[in-house]
Amino acid sequence: AILDVMLPEMDGFTLCRQIRQSHTYPVIMLTARASDMDKITGLTIGADDYLTKPFNPLELVARVKAQLRRATRYSEGTPQSEDIIDFQGLVINRATHECTINDTPVALTPLEFSILWKLCENRGQVISSEELFRQAWGEKYFRNENNTVMVHIRRIREKIELNPSEPEYLKVVWGIGYEIEKH
C-alpha cells in the first residue's frame, strides 16, 4: 500500500494502524510531511518505508520493488516459499502466476506457466515431453503431442531467454525431454 499522511477522510497514520491490525503486506508512506517526528511516527506505527514529496518517480518504483522483494523472498509471510522459485534471475510465483527475468515481468499463458513451473521445481532433472504434456494439459499423452510440447517450449524460450537459440535456462536433452539446468 502507498499511503499519503494527509487523506480526506482519515489521516494515513490511522489507516496504516488499521492495515497493520490484520495485514502484513508492505506499506510505504508517501507525503509532503517531512519532519523527523512524522517520519518516526510513520515507521513506528508500521510503515515499511517513508518517502517525502517531491520525489523522483524512479525512486518510488525502486522502493516499491524492494518492499515487494522483501515481502516475497525474505519473509515468512505470504506468499509461501514453496510457491516461489527464484533461480538465477528467473522468479516464478505459483500463487500469483507471475514470472520475472531479472525483475522484468514475463507474460506467460497458463499452459506455458504450468510447463515452466514443472521444469523449475525439478531443475537439474530431465522431464519428458509426455510428463510435461500430462502436467500442463491434464490429458493422456499420444505420440503426436510432442509437437505441441515443442511449440510451447519454443514460446517459453522466446519469452525468458536473451538468445532463444542459445538458451541459458531451458535446455533440450535430445531424445529424452527438457530441463532447467542446475548451475
Side-chain angles (χ1 to χ4, degrees):
I2 300 174
L3 301 177
D4 196 323
V5 173
M6 295 178 276
L7 296 170
E9 300 296 319
M10 72 172 76
D11 68 45
F13 296 137
T14 303
L15 182 54
C16 185
R17 280 188 198 97
Q18 289 179 357
I19 289 171
R20 285 296 173 239
Q21 289 175 359
S22 57
H23 301 287
T24 59
Y25 54 77
V27 175
I28 299 174
M29 302 299 287
L30 179 65
T31 183
R33 292 176 65 172
S35 76
D36 286 343
M37 246 357 254
D38 287 329
K39 292 176 188 177
I40 292 167
T41 299
L43 295 169
T44 302
I45 63 169
D48 298 291
D49 202 352
Y50 196 102
L51 186 61
T52 57
K53 298 175 187 174
F55 59 90
N56 181 328
L58 294 175
E59 181 181 1
L60 176 60
V61 169
R63 288 174 182 254
V64 167
K65 285 182 177 182
Q67 290 302 324
L68 291 174
R69 184 173 53 248
R70 283 186 194 102
T72 58
R73 290 186 190 167
Y74 307 137
S75 74
E76 294 177 358
T78 57
Q80 296 297 315
S81 59
E82 63 264 10
D83 286 337
I84 297 174
I85 296 172
D86 185 350
F87 177 67
Q88 297 181 341
L90 171 64
V91 179
I92 184 167
N93 185 326
R94 183 169 49 188
T96 62
H97 271 251
E98 294 175 321
C99 177
T100 59
I101 295 287
N102 300 319
D103 294 325
T104 302
V106 177
L108 296 173
T109 67
L111 287 171
E112 291 166 348
F113 187 92
S114 181
I115 291 168
L116 186 58
W117 180 267
K118 179 72 174 173
L119 289 165
C120 285
E121 75 177 347
N122 294 288
R123 67 184 171 271
Q125 299 174 26
V126 179
I127 308 295
S128 69
S129 295
E130 182 177 342
E131 178 61 27
L132 288 173
F133 187 86
R134 278 197 306 262
Q135 172 78 24
W137 281 267
E139 297 176 10
K140 186 175 178 174
Y141 177 84
F142 295 100
R143 202 178 310 182
N144 61 346
E145 276 11 307
N146 190 39
N147 288 338
T148 303
V149 174
M150 274 191 332
V151 167
H152 281 79
I153 292 290
R154 182 177 42 100
R155 287 184 186 151
I156 294 168
R157 272 190 176 156
E158 289 169 354
K159 293 178 179 185
I160 69 169
E161 300 285 358
L162 281 174
N163 182 356
S165 61
E166 294 180 22
E168 295 177 42
Y169 298 103
L170 187 47
K171 308 282 183 163
V172 174
V173 179
W174 293 107
I176 300 173
Y178 303 91
E179 73 173 326
I180 297 289
E181 281 196 335
K182 193 173 196 174
H183 291 100

